[in-house]
Amino acid sequence: MKLYCLSGHPTLPCNVLKFKSTTIMLDCGLDTTSVLNFLPLPLVHSPRLSKLPSWVSKDGTINLEKELKECAGRVFVDSQPEFCLPERELLDLSTVDVILVSNYHCMMALPYITEHTGFTGTVYATEPTLQIGRLLMEELVTFMERVPKAQSATCWKNKEIQRMLPGPLKDAVDVWTWKRSYSMQEVNSALSKVQLVGYSQKVELFGAVQVSPLSSGYSLGSSNWIIQSHHEKVSYVSGSSLLTTHPQPMDQSSLKNSDVLILTGLTQMPTANPDGMLGEFCSNLAMTIRAGGNVLVPCYSSGVIYDLLECLYQFIDNANLGTTPFYFISPVANSSLEFSQIFAEWLCHNKQSKVYLPEPPFPHAELIQTNKLKHYSSIHGDFSSEFRQPCVVFTGHPSLRFGDVVHFMELWGKSSLNTIIFTEPDFSYLDALAPYQPLAMKCVYCPIDTRLNFHQVSKLLKEVQPLHVVCPEQYTQPPQSQAHRSDLMLELHPPPMPYRRCSVLNLPFRRRYERVYILPELANSLVPSEIKPGVSLATVSAVLHSKDNKHTLQRLHAIPNVPKKRKRVPEEPPVLLGPKPLLSGAVPLEAFLATLQKHGITEVKVEETADGHILHLQAEDTLIQLEEDGTHIVCDNNEPLRTTLRDLVLRFLQRL
Amino acid sequence: MPEIKVTPLGAGQDVGRSCILVSIGGKNIMLDCGMHMGYNDDRRFPDFSYITQNGRLTEFLDCVIISHFHLDHCGALPFMSEMVGYDGPIYMTHPTKAICPILLEDFRKITVDKKGETNFFTSQMIKDCMKKVVPLNLHQTVQVDDELEIKAYYAGHVLGAAMVHIKVGSESVVYTGDYNMTPDRHLGAAWIDKCRPDLLISESTYATTIRDSKRCRERDFLKKVHESIERGGKVLIPVFALGRAQELCILLETFWERMNLKAPIYFSTGLTEKANHYYKLFITWTNQKIRKTFVQRNMFEFKHIKAFDRSYADNPGPMVVFATPGMLHAGQSLQIFKKWAGNEKNMVIMPGYCVQGTIGHKILNGQRKLEMEGRSTLDVKLQVEYMSFSAHADAKGIMQLIRMAEPRNMLLVHGEAVKMEFLKGKIEQEFSIDCHMPANGETVAVTTNPSVPVDISLNLLKREMALGGPLPDPKKPRTMHGTLIMKENSLKLVSSEQALKELGLNEHQLRFTCRVQLQDPHSDSDTLHRIYTHLKSVLKGYTIQHLPDGTVMVESIVIKVSSCAEDANTKVLLLSWSYQDEDLGSFLSTLLKKGLPSGLC
C-alpha cells in the first residue's frame, strides 16, 4: 500500500493512494498562490499598471522588458496568470481509477487531470461540491477570458535567467509546469465524469474496496472519506471544521478504528480565532462606512461569504447601516446565492428546520428581497448605473490578481477613507497588495479559517485513535514565523509520517485476512467439532472461485474419472492435490489396547521405551510405536490390516 | 433455513392504508403507516392489534419507514405512534418530513373540525410524532442498529418519494412505496441499482395498464379543458395539494401563456403558496430540466394561477379550479362539485386513482345519482372525465424495475387482486421467480439462502491462488483446504498449520512403514534406478527424485532398496510415508508388490 504525494500545499492536497488493486486519487487541489507573481489583470485600462517600469537586472545583463515589470521594489510577470499544478510525473495518471473530492476548493485542478492525462475513471463528489465547484471554475474561466492577454511570458522561466531574478520569483519551484487557466469546455468535460454521492453512501470499487464520504463540517457538501476493505481502513481527513457555521456538523465517530489516517487541510491561521475575526470585520466595516468610506471585501463567491452575510444581516440594523448598499459582484453571484438555498439536506440542523416552515435557510434571501443586498455579474452593465457610495463590495478574486476586485483596488486605493478587509486565508495579504503599492487605503486583515486547529485535531485524534497518521511535513514543525510555538504542530505517538511534494510513502499495513463467502451448500455440509469450550473446528475442502475481487467457496464435487482411451495401469494414481490434513492429539495406551482387543487383535506385547511404548502384534508380525506426538505403524504385506490399524489410531486423533 | 416474513396490515390486494410488516434477520420493520380514504370507521387505519393485543409497539418494531407524504402512506402515523404507542425511529426523506405534518394537520381538521369526530389524534400528537422522525438522504446508508441498515432511492412518484433497500447481514428487501418509471414535467424517473434483493415488494396500482405516451395524455387534457372553457363551462380538477397539482399547474400555465387565454385559473386552499415554496426549496428532488434552469426561471412561480376564494364558485363565466382533496371524499373539492354538478356545461376531470367508496370512484363508474348526507340525492349532469396523471409505474414500468433490481422473489401490494393476479402470472413467466400477493393479515414467508462470510487468512488464500497459476482463470476451479475456526462470533479460515498454532495444539505425526519383496536380478543401485524409471512413467505430474544417498523420493514418500541376506536377487524395498500422503503411499506399496515390468532399462 503506497501513497504518492502530488501537491506540497497542505490545504490544497492531491495524493494518490494505491490500496489493494485500486488506484485512488484523494482530492485535486490547484495551488493558486503562484498567481501572486503576476501583474493584476485590469478590467478597464489602468494607466498606472501600464506605466510600470520594466525590470532590468543590476548589471543590466538581463532585460526582459516585455515580461517583467517592477512595482515598489517587487518584480512581477506581465502575462496571463498561471497556476501550479499537481505533480504529473510521479506516476502514470492514466492508471488512476477514481478521484475522491472532499470539497469544492479541493477540485480546482480537476480539468488538468481528467482531460490531459488519459484518465478514464470516475470522479466522486457530493451534489453541493459539484454544483458550487462548477460555479467556482466558471468564475475563474470568466475572469481570465474576459480580459484576454495576448502575451504569454516564458523567457523568465529559463533556469539561467530565473536564478538571477530577485525573490520570490527566484525561489518559485517547477515554473515550467505552471499552466494557464483551462477553458469552459474542459470544465464541462471534466465535470461530466463526476458521479454524485451522499454522505455515508457506500460505493464499491471493483468489489475490492468500499469508499464512503462523511460530513466534514467545513463547507456545503464537504466530506472526509473512508476507504476500506473488510479488514483495512484508511481515513482521509481534508478540510474539516468543528465550528457551528452553516454546514452539517462533522461526523467524527465514523473515523474510529482506522489503520491509517491521512490528515490534510488544517487551519492556515492557527492563531486567529474565527469568531474574533468576524467581530473585527463588522466593527471595521461600520467604522469605515460611518466615516464616509467604502469597504472592499475580496472573497470567493461561495463559503465564508454566506456566514459574513448572515452576520451582517443581524448587524446592519444595530449598527445603523440600514441604508448602506451591499454589493456582491461575481459572474456567478446570483447562482451561488440561489444554490445555497436548495441544499437543505447538507446544512446544519438549525438551517434544515427552516425549510420545513417553509422558509429559505439563509437570511440573505431577505437581504435581497429588501434590496439591502444586490448582486451583479460584473461591474459593467446595470451596476455602473445603480452604484452608490459609500458602499460595501464583496467580490473576487481574493488574490487581487484578476476579477472585478482589481478595478476597485485601482478606484479606491488612493483614498485613506476606504478600507480593504481580507477575510480569505489563502493568500498573504502583503503579497496580494504588493502590485498596488503605494496604497493610501486602509488594510484590515481578519482571516476567517474555520478548519481544525492543532488543539482540536489532537483532541480528535485522541478520540478516534488511528494506528498511524500521515500528514504534510508543515504540520510536524511549528510555523517558521513562530518557531517557539510547539503547540502549533502535531505531536503524536507514534510520530506522524510527514510527506512533501513528490514523496512516495509506504503505508504501514499488515494485511492478514481477506473476506471469503462460503456458499450455503458447502456451509451445510461442514461438520464442526468442539475442541475446547466455545471453540469449534471444521476442515474445509472446497473449490475457490475468485471473480471481481470477490472470493467464494463452493462445495467440492468428486470429479468423475473419465475413462481414457490409451492403455492404463490397472489403478489410477490418486489425485495430486488431495487434502493434506494435519492430526492433533495423542493415542492413550490402555484405551488403544482395549480397542485392538475389540477388533480381535489380542496377542499384543507391550514394551516400554524412553518416549512411549512399542506394541508388537505377534500374530501379524506388526509393530506399532506409540509416542506422545507420533504414531508409527510398521506393517508388511498386509494392506487390510494396515488400513484397519490406521483407522483405529485415527479414532483418537483430531483432523485439522 | 432463514426466512423473510411479510404481512400486509393494509394494501394487501387493496389500495389504501399501506402498512406492511417485514421480519428479516430477527428485525421487524413497518413499511408505511397509511389511512384508507374509502372508510370512516375503524377500517380507516391498519389493524395494529395484529402486532400486539395490549400495549405499545416500541418493543416489537425496530423501525418504521415512510415512503412518501400521501395520506394512504402516512395518514395513520400519529395514531400509531401517539395513540397506540411507538417511540422508536421513524425514517422518511427531508421533503416528506416537511410536507407530511401539513397534510396530517389538514386531514385532522377535516375529520375533527368539520365532521366533528372525537377520539382522533390532535395537533400536538402530530408534532410529537414528527419529533421521532429521522430524515433520510438519498443513497445514504443509515445504520438503524449494528445489524440493520437502510438506504433510500429516488422513486419519482411525488416530491421526496423514496424506495428503500433494507439489509440485515446478507439478506435484503426492497420496498418501492409508490413509484414512477417515466419522468414527468416536474419529477424524474425512479432508479435503483442492481442490488439483487431476496425480495422486492412493489406497488401494482396499474398492474394491467400499459399507458400511452404522456404527451398524448397531456394534449388530451388540454383539449378537454380548452373546449369546456370555450363553451363557457367551469372545470373542476380535484387534486391533492402537492404532487400532481404542480405538474398540471405547470402544464396549464404554459398552455395559457401560449394560447393567450384569459379565463381565470384558481387553486384552492392556502396551501398553494406554501406548497410551491416547498418545491422551490427542494428543487434538487425535481427533474433534471427544472434543476438546471432554476436560477434563471423557477418553474414553480406561476403567473396565471391565483388563489381561490369560496365565493368565486358562484361567479359567472368560465374558470378552472384546482381543489383538494383529490378523490372528492370531503372538503372544498366536494363542495364545489355539489355546486357545479347540475350543469352539463361544466366538467370534472379526475386526474388520478380513486379509492373504492369515495364519490370520485362512484362517478367514474358512471353513477349519475349520488346519495348525500341527510338522505338527499344529487343528480350528476356535468361531464366526468378521467385522465390517469397519477404517477405510478404501469405494467411495463414494474417489469423494468424488476430488471433493474434483479430480485430473487417478488411480492405485490397496493393494487386490486384481479389485476395483481394477471401481473403475477406475467412476472413468474418472464423472470422465473416466485411472486406473492398476500391479502391483509396474511403472512408470506420467503426462504433465503445466505452465504456465510468468513475471514480467510491471506497466506492461505495466496497459497491457493498461486497454485492456480499466475493469472486467475475463472473457468479453472481451484481446490483449497483449510480449517475453519469458530470462536465466539468470529469465523476464520486458516491453514491447518496455523490452526494448530493459534489454538495451541500439538501435532501428532502418523507414519507408516512397509517392506515389499521383489525379484529383481540387478545390483541394488540398478534396481533403485529401475524403480525410479518405472514410477516416472506411471506417476505423471508428481515430483519424483533419485537422491544421491540411495533413496527415491515420491513427493515425501521415501523408498530404499536392500538385498535379501539369503538371495541377492530378492530385493527388499522399504517404503515410508506419513498420513498426509496416505493415498499415494498405499497406492505405491500395492503397485511395487506387482514387480517391475521387464522392459525397463
Side-chain angles (χ1 to χ4, degrees):
Chain A
M1 220 158 295
K2 278 187 174 171
L3 188 72
Y4 297 78
C5 309
L6 312 187
S7 160
H9 196 300
T11 28
L12 297 165
C14 182
N15 295 313
V16 174
L17 176 69
K18 291 211 176 193
F19 186 65
K20 292 183 85 177
S21 51
T22 55
T23 305
I24 302 171
M25 181 178 278
L26 304 169
D27 276 333
C28 213
L30 184 64
D31 188 349
T32 47
T33 50
S34 56
V35 302
L36 293 175
N37 295 302
F38 292 80
L39 269 192
L41 285 180
L43 259 178
V44 274
H45 177 76
S46 155
R48 184 188 70 86
L49 284 172
S50 56
K51 278 186 203 140
L52 285 178
S54 300
W55 178 81
V56 182
S57 67
K58 272 187 196 128
D59 54 7
T61 49
I62 302 170
N63 186 351
L64 296 173
E65 140 183 24
K66 286 219 169 83
E67 295 198 353
L68 299 174
K69 306 274 172 176
E70 196 171 347
C71 176
R74 292 268 293 256
V75 180
F76 296 92
V77 181
D78 186 11
S79 165
Q80 184 101 317
E82 293 180 338
F83 306 112
C84 178
L85 272 52
E87 180 59 46
R88 289 183 297 174
E89 303 299 319
L90 196 59
L91 84 162
D92 179 2
L93 292 177
S94 71
T95 62
V96 171
D97 297 310
V98 295
I99 302 178
L100 308 181
V101 177
S102 56
N103 63 64
Y104 47 75
H105 287 301
C106 291
M107 64 188 282
M108 298 300 280
L110 209 52
Y112 296 115
I113 302 293
T114 61
E115 299 314 297
H116 303 294
T117 61
F119 173 80
T120 54
T122 309
V123 182
Y124 289 96
T126 63
E127 183 163 12
T129 299
L130 169 67
Q131 301 298 2
I132 297 175
R134 181 192 295 278
L135 295 182
L136 293 184
M137 289 181 181
E138 200 182 309
E139 183 185 51
L140 189 69
V141 173
T142 314
F143 281 160
M144 294 296 180
E145 290 182 351
R146 211 160 55 171
V147 274
K149 205 148 184 147
Q151 105 158 335
S152 192
T154 50
C155 297
W156 69 275
K157 292 182 179 180
N158 185 309
K159 256 189 200 139
E160 290 308 308
I161 295 178
Q162 197 200 349
R163 214 160 41 88
M164 310 291 288
L165 300 179
L169 265 183
K170 186 173 77 176
D171 308 314
V173 287
D174 290 335
V175 291
W176 276 108
T177 66
W178 289 10
K179 281 266 168 349
R180 307 169 71 153
S181 160
Y182 30 73
S183 68
M184 209 49 218
Q185 193 188 351
E186 288 167 310
V187 170
N188 288 331
S189 170
L191 296 184
S192 70
K193 292 165 180 135
V194 174
Q195 180 136 2
L196 296 182
V197 286
Y199 287 150
S200 305
Q201 180 176 346
K202 295 173 179 172
V203 180
E204 291 283 340
L205 303 182
F206 316 109
V209 178
Q210 194 183 63
V211 298
S212 191
L214 307 173
S215 174
S216 76
Y218 168 60
S219 61
L220 264 175
S222 70
S223 31
N224 293 321
W225 290 84
I226 300 288
I227 302 123
Q228 63 185 342
S229 66
H230 285 286
H231 296 96
E232 300 86 20
K233 178 170 174 179
V234 178
S235 294
Y236 174 55
V237 174
S238 164
S240 301
S241 176
L242 291 171
L243 298 181
T244 324
T245 56
H246 56 275
Q248 212 181 90
M250 178 182 178
D251 177 353
Q252 301 176 60
S253 60
S254 305
L255 299 172
K256 279 183 185 162
N257 302 320
S258 310
D259 296 287
V260 171
L261 187 144
I262 303 167
L263 180 68
T264 67
L266 298 184
T267 177
Q268 301 182 83
M269 297 294 142
T271 50
N273 170 340
D275 276 332
M277 290 293 133
L278 208 53
E280 234 170 273
F281 168 78
C282 288
S283 60
N284 277 297
L285 185 145
M287 235 152 47
T288 306
I289 295 291
R290 279 194 206 110
N294 298 295
V295 177
L296 179 61
V297 187
C299 62
Y300 292 113
S301 45
S302 179
V304 175
I305 182 162
Y306 303 142
D307 299 312
L308 293 178
L309 291 176
E310 178 152 12
C311 177
L312 288 173
Y313 170 78
Q314 293 155 358
F315 179 74
I316 284 174
D317 291 326
N318 292 342
N320 240 338
L321 298 173
T323 54
T324 311
F326 286 76
Y327 301 116
F328 176 20
I329 302 169
S330 156
V332 298
N334 185 25
S335 299
S336 166
L337 293 171
E338 289 285 340
F339 268 110
S340 68
Q341 305 287 20
I342 65 160
F343 291 124
E345 281 120 304
W346 309 88
L347 294 173
C348 65
H349 184 77
N350 263 345
K351 298 227 175 312
Q352 221 170 63
S353 40
K354 280 206 166 172
V355 297
Y356 297 148
L357 296 176
E359 277 172 20
F362 284 98
H364 53 239
E366 199 185 317
L367 288 177
I368 295 169
Q369 220 165 33
T370 53
N371 266 328
K372 284 176 180 153
L373 174 68
K374 292 189 173 185
H375 52 81
Y376 300 91
S377 62
S378 93
I379 52 166
H380 299 305
D382 291 346
F383 176 72
S384 43
S385 53
E386 292 171 20
F387 171 51
R388 284 189 293 118
Q389 302 191 64
C391 65
V392 180
V393 169
F394 295 89
T395 188
H397 185 270
S399 65
L400 308 190
R401 292 302 180 272
F402 45 86
D404 302 87
V405 73
V406 175
H407 177 74
F408 289 98
M409 286 305 294
E410 295 293 327
L411 189 68
W412 290 345
K414 291 162 219 97
S415 162
S416 59
L417 277 179
N418 302 326
T419 307
I420 177 169
I421 310 183
F422 290 89
T423 55
E424 300 287 354
D426 283 0
F427 301 93
S428 140
Y429 79 104
L430 288 175
D431 290 342
L433 290 172
Y436 299 97
Q437 299 292 2
L439 209 58
M441 135 194 250
K442 276 199 291 287
C443 300
V444 178
Y445 187 51
C446 19
I448 297 173
D449 195 333
T450 58
R451 287 174 277 215
L452 296 175
N453 60 36
F454 287 97
H455 175 69
Q456 291 165 326
V457 83
S458 59
K459 214 174 129 202
L460 172 76
L461 290 175
K462 237 174 243 164
E463 216 142 278
V464 304
Q465 302 236 327
L467 291 181
H468 299 277
V469 173
V470 176
C471 70
E473 61 177 356
Q474 289 92 332
Y475 297 161
T476 59
Q477 65 226 11
Q480 275 173 356
S481 54
Q482 288 152 303
H484 61 289
R485 292 288 298 267
S486 62
D487 57 327
L488 300 183
M489 62 180 276
L490 278 180
E491 273 189 288
L492 300 170
H493 297 284
M497 302 171 64
Y499 73 79
R500 61 170 70 170
R501 192 176 166 106
C502 289
S503 297
V504 180
L505 303 184
N506 271 311
L507 298 185
F509 264 104
R510 278 223 337 264
R511 291 183 54 210
R512 292 175 58 201
Y513 286 98
E514 177 70 89
R515 183 52 62 94
V516 64
Y517 292 88
I518 298 189
L519 292 184
E521 198 197 356
L522 174 63
N524 289 333
S525 74
L526 296 179
V527 195
S529 59
E530 192 170 49
I531 57 142
K532 281 181 190 174
V535 183
S536 300
L537 291 184
T539 52
V540 180
S541 288
V543 182
L544 175 68
H545 287 274
S546 300
K547 197 183 160 193
D548 299 337
N549 289 312
K550 203 180 156 190
H551 310 289
T552 50
L553 288 177
Q554 212 172 43
R555 194 167 174 182
L556 189 64
H557 290 282
I559 304 154
N561 264 334
V562 188
K564 288 173 193 161
K565 275 181 190 152
R566 66 184 174 86
K567 209 178 156 197
R568 300 174 293 131
V569 280
E571 264 182 276
E572 280 289 314
V575 190
L576 181 61
L577 295 169
K580 304 211 169 182
L582 298 182
L583 300 172
S584 171
V587 183
L589 179 68
E590 294 306 323
F592 185 59
L593 285 174
T595 314
L596 285 179
Q597 199 146 29
K598 240 188 250 166
H599 285 78
I601 301 167
T602 46
E603 278 181 70
V604 182
K605 202 179 119 201
V606 179
E607 187 186 316
E608 205 159 319
T609 65
D611 301 314
H613 299 89
I614 294 179
L615 279 58
H616 190 195
L617 280 54
Q618 289 169 319
E620 294 84 3
D621 191 24
T622 290
L623 288 177
I624 303 172
Q625 197 177 341
L626 286 186
E627 282 174 11
E628 182 64 30
D629 56 359
T631 301
H632 192 174
I633 298 175
V634 185
C635 174
D636 305 335
N637 271 326
N638 193 345
E639 185 66 11
L641 174 69
R642 192 187 65 81
T643 50
T644 311
L645 292 175
R646 177 194 71 196
D647 294 341
L648 294 181
V649 168
L650 285 177
R651 284 192 192 181
F652 295 94
L653 298 173
Q654 169 74 45
R655 279 164 52 115
L656 289 174
Chain B
M1 280 287 190
E3 281 182 338
I4 298 173
K5 285 189 190 155
V6 182
T7 315
L9 296 186
Q13 303 182 2
D14 187 18
V15 177
R17 60 163 189 191
S18 281
C19 183
I20 296 133
L21 299 178
V22 172
S23 296
I24 171 173
K27 307 282 168 187
N28 297 318
I29 298 131
M30 180 186 283
L31 300 170
D32 280 337
C33 190
M35 52 94 64
H36 203 296
M37 310 270 184
Y39 300 116
N40 282 322
D41 51 20
D42 282 353
R43 289 172 295 173
R44 176 164 55 198
F45 294 144
D47 180 11
F48 298 112
S49 68
Y50 179 92
I51 302 171
T52 174
Q53 291 287 344
N54 33 26
R56 305 169 69 78
L57 304 177
T58 311
E59 60 178 300
F60 299 96
L61 293 175
D62 292 279
C63 73
V64 174
I65 302 169
I66 302 295
S67 64
H68 63 285
F69 59 65
H70 278 159
L71 288 174
D72 58 329
H73 292 260
C74 69
L77 199 56
F79 173 77
M80 193 273 306
S81 73
E82 306 310 306
M83 297 175 79
V84 180
Y86 169 75
D87 300 320
I90 302 169
Y91 292 95
M92 54 178 83
T93 65
H94 282 276
T96 309
K97 186 184 171 190
I99 296 163
C100 165
I102 295 166
L103 298 186
L104 286 171
E105 181 58 28
D106 232 36
F107 173 39
R108 192 198 64 80
K109 268 192 201 142
I110 290 177
T111 320
V112 177
D113 300 353
K114 296 228 169 94
K115 293 192 193 157
E117 277 188 50
T118 50
N119 193 25
F120 204 73
F121 54 77
T122 62
S123 296
Q124 189 56 44
M125 285 179 185
I126 298 174
K127 281 185 193 133
D128 292 340
C129 167
M130 294 315 289
K131 282 182 195 146
K132 298 170 186 171
V133 171
V134 183
L136 270 179
N137 294 331
L138 282 183
H139 301 167
Q140 170 193 22
T141 308
V142 173
Q143 215 69 43
V144 176
D145 58 32
D146 286 346
E147 287 150 343
L148 172 60
E149 61 177 51
I150 58 177
K151 179 178 179 183
Y153 291 90
Y154 191 77
H157 172 67
V158 287
L159 195 72
M163 309 193 273
V164 277
H165 181 254
I166 300 152
K167 192 171 160 222
V168 180
S170 46
E171 295 175 274
S172 59
V173 171
V174 169
Y175 172 60
T176 64
D178 291 356
Y179 63 104
N180 186 10
M181 295 300 285
T182 45
D184 61 29
R185 276 182 189 267
H186 73 301
L187 296 172
W191 178 84
I192 194 162
D193 50 22
K194 208 180 275 314
C195 53
R196 299 196 175 93
D198 292 301
L199 180 66
L200 174 64
I201 305 175
S202 172
E203 64 132 326
S204 51
T205 323
Y206 291 123
T208 55
T209 327
I210 305 264
R211 283 185 295 171
D212 48 3
S213 90
K214 191 110 192 179
R215 295 266 155 213
C216 291
R217 260 176 292 145
E218 285 175 359
R219 221 175 11 239
D220 232 28
F221 169 80
L222 291 172
K223 201 173 132 211
K224 278 178 183 153
V225 173
H226 194 201
E227 281 169 3
S228 200
I229 296 293
E230 291 282 270
R231 63 169 182 262
K234 296 179 166 60
V235 181
L236 171 65
I237 308 171
V239 287
F240 288 99
L242 287 132
R244 242 14 56 199
Q246 277 69 28
E247 186 186 354
L248 296 179
C249 283
I250 293 176
L251 196 60
L252 281 190
E253 168 91 7
T254 40
F255 187 68
W256 250 238
E257 183 115 4
R258 198 179 62 205
M259 306 293 286
N260 202 15
L261 297 179
K262 293 284 179 271
I265 308 174
Y266 297 114
F267 201 115
S268 81
T269 80
L271 249 175
T272 353
E273 272 295 295
K274 231 176 167 183
N276 293 336
H277 227 93
Y278 281 118
Y279 276 83
K280 283 186 224 162
L281 292 172
F282 287 113
I283 212 117
T284 54
W285 286 79
T286 60
N287 70 26
Q288 200 93 39
K289 194 180 154 203
I290 296 186
R291 271 156 54 187
K292 262 206 165 137
T293 55
F294 91 103
V295 176
Q296 291 81 39
R297 164 161 166 59
N298 199 316
M299 289 294 264
F300 299 102
E301 275 160 17
F302 301 117
K303 269 195 289 182
H304 295 274
I305 300 167
K306 310 245 158 40
F308 181 73
D309 185 275
R310 201 179 301 180
S311 60
Y312 295 176
D314 299 321
N315 284 359
M319 67 174 87
V320 180
V321 176
F322 288 94
T324 56
M327 301 185 192
L328 286 179
H329 56 280
Q332 199 150 34
S333 63
L334 185 57
Q335 283 171 14
I336 300 172
F337 176 76
K338 284 185 201 161
K339 273 195 180 147
W340 295 358
N343 189 340
E344 54 278 322
K345 269 207 295 190
N346 297 342
M347 181 188 280
V348 60
I349 300 181
M350 307 296 297
Y353 183 87
C354 288
V355 164
Q356 211 154 24
T358 58
I359 290 186
H361 189 262
K362 286 176 191 159
I363 58 169
L364 282 181
N365 278 337
Q367 214 169 314
R368 284 315 208 174
K369 265 198 196 319
L370 298 171
E371 283 181 30
M372 307 308 284
E373 284 154 49
R375 265 193 253 144
S376 60
T377 56
L378 182 68
D379 284 319
V380 181
K381 290 197 184 131
L382 51 47
Q383 280 188 62
V384 178
E385 296 287 346
Y386 173 68
M387 313 227 81
S388 150
F389 274 100
S390 53
H392 292 280
D394 61 1
K396 217 167 83 192
I398 295 170
M399 302 301 255
Q400 199 183 335
L401 187 82
I402 298 176
R403 236 166 272 135
M404 264 182 172
E406 291 191 0
R408 296 192 184 87
N409 295 278
M410 191 69 200
L411 191 147
L412 300 177
V413 293
H414 200 282
E416 292 162 28
V418 192
K419 295 182 179 173
M420 276 186 183
E421 198 74 59
F422 174 80
L423 184 64
K424 172 179 145 78
K426 264 190 79 173
I427 290 170
E428 289 180 331
Q429 190 193 354
E430 185 164 342
F431 299 101
S432 320
I433 55 174
D434 284 340
C435 182
H436 308 270
M437 41 174 283
N440 287 336
E442 188 187 328
T443 301
V444 165
V446 173
T447 53
T448 58
N449 219 351
S451 341
V452 183
V454 162
D455 296 336
I456 187 170
S457 105
L458 215 53
N459 290 338
L460 180 62
L461 184 68
K462 284 204 171 142
R463 194 165 81 187
E464 300 302 333
M465 304 254 282
L467 286 177
L471 282 172
D473 177 3
K475 280 183 203 141
K476 199 169 151 199
R478 290 162 298 178
T479 27
M480 67 131 275
H481 310 283
T483 304
L484 188 64
I485 307 178
M486 289 163 256
K487 200 155 80 182
E488 279 142 25
N489 282 326
S490 85
L491 292 174
K492 276 200 288 187
L493 186 58
V494 298
S495 64
S496 308
E497 293 88 347
Q498 197 181 339
L500 279 181
K501 219 157 105 195
E502 281 197 15
L503 296 169
L505 300 174
N506 69 319
E507 191 190 343
H508 192 98
Q509 296 274 357
L510 177 55
R511 284 197 76 79
F512 303 96
T513 301
C514 188
R515 271 171 301 195
V516 177
Q517 293 206 340
L518 198 68
Q519 289 300 315
D520 199 43
H522 296 274
S523 70
D524 290 1
S525 58
D526 281 357
T527 304
L528 194 66
H529 189 74
R530 282 158 55 77
I531 291 172
Y532 172 72
T533 321
H534 178 45
L535 294 182
K536 265 278 194 205
S537 73
V538 175
L539 298 171
K540 302 274 191 242
Y542 284 80
T543 323
I544 305 172
Q545 295 162 279
H546 188 169
L547 299 176
D549 67 345
T551 54
V552 166
M553 292 267 292
V554 181
E555 299 289 311
S556 69
I557 298 172
V558 183
I559 304 171
K560 283 185 182 166
V561 176
S562 62
S563 302
C564 184
E566 299 93 55
D567 175 7
N569 285 345
T570 307
K571 308 288 180 198
V572 178
L573 310 187
L574 196 75
L575 276 79
S576 182
W577 69 90
S578 69
Y579 173 67
Q580 282 72 32
D581 282 317
E582 166 68 5
D583 288 348
L584 187 61
S586 169
F587 171 78
L588 282 183
S589 67
T590 318
L591 178 77
L592 290 173
K593 253 175 240 170
K594 290 174 191 147
L596 298 173
S598 50
L600 284 175
C601 55

